[in-house]
Amino acid sequence: MEPTDEPLQAAESADTTASQSAVPVPPTPPATEPAIEPEADSDTDPVIEAEPAPASPLESAAVPPTVETKPDPVITSTVTIPAQEASTDEGGEWDLLVEKIKAWIDSNQLGSLWEQAQLPLRLIGGLILFVIVSTVYSGILGTINKVPLAPGLLELTGVIWLLNYARCNLVRSSDRKRVIDALGSTWNKVVGR
């Protein structure tokens, strides 16, 4: 058995026929009378589909034919809900909420809830206060830093104050002992001893 080139030749002949007709021409529908659909409901109008005018093959390939559809009565219908009459025997949602809040306050659980949440609320408040103060402080320092001579002058002022404090309070041993005792008592007040 020898290999044959029949499938290859068939594919080449298909390629040459496809390249000869570069623009496909769609078939044109036969001309008929407009179709009228039978009436489904007595309150809807029948839909008449008209046949489009025959066009050249290039125009019919570019524009798809339009199809008119009848609207679905379920989708196009509207629903109206009548308003309820005001009843005096029951309260509305707001009244129920107010009653539940009053019952919760009267049950004396508010005090125990405050005792449980006091420390976390203080910590959260302190954290928020720290963030606000540090943001304002960094804004002030950033503004001072933009003034040309201010950072150097403030640094010089700090060095002069530190040298004056050391000269007055750290030269003699009795002064050093007094400063150390003052720092110790301040630390005990902060810690709570």
Side-chain angles (χ1 to χ4, degrees):
M1 291 175 96
E2 292 182 12
T4 62
D5 292 332
E6 290 175 15
L8 235 109
Q9 291 170 353
E12 287 176 358
S13 65
D15 286 342
T16 57
T17 58
S19 64
Q20 290 173 355
S21 62
V23 179
V25 178
T28 58
T32 60
E33 293 294 319
I36 299 176
E37 292 182 10
E39 282 190 29
D41 293 333
S42 61
D43 59 339
T44 60
D45 295 330
V47 176
I48 299 175
E49 293 183 7
E51 189 69 31
S56 69
L58 291 177
E59 290 177 357
S60 64
V63 180
T66 59
V67 178
E68 293 184 27
T69 59
K70 185 169 59 171
D72 190 10
V74 175
I75 295 174
T76 58
S77 64
T78 58
V79 177
T80 57
I81 300 173
Q84 293 181 350
E85 295 180 15
S87 65
T88 58
D89 58 342
E90 289 186 19
E93 292 177 0
W94 177 254
D95 293 335
L96 291 173
L97 179 65
V98 170
E99 288 176 15
K100 285 187 178 186
I101 290 175
K102 284 181 180 178
W104 180 64
I105 290 173
D106 291 340
S107 69
N108 292 329
Q109 292 179 355
L110 193 59
S112 65
L113 180 66
W114 174 251
E115 288 176 10
Q116 291 174 352
Q118 193 171 9
L119 181 63
L121 288 176
R122 283 186 179 178
L123 289 175
I124 291 171
L127 182 65
I128 291 172
L129 185 66
F130 173 74
V131 168
I132 291 172
V133 168
S134 63
T135 304
V136 170
Y137 187 68
S138 66
I140 291 171
L141 289 180
T143 304
I144 291 172
N145 194 26
K146 291 180 182 177
V147 177
L149 293 176
L153 289 175
L154 289 175
E155 187 176 344
L156 181 63
T157 305
V159 170
I160 290 172
W161 179 86
L162 183 63
L163 291 176
N164 187 28
Y165 183 81
R167 181 183 59 84
C168 293
N169 296 319
L170 300 177
V171 173
R172 295 186 203 102
S173 66
S174 61
D175 293 337
R176 284 192 303 265
K177 183 170 176 43
R178 185 174 44 90
V179 168
I180 291 172
D181 289 342
L183 288 175
S185 66
T186 304
W187 176 254
N188 287 337
K189 286 180 185 177
V190 170
V191 172
R193 293 183 191 171

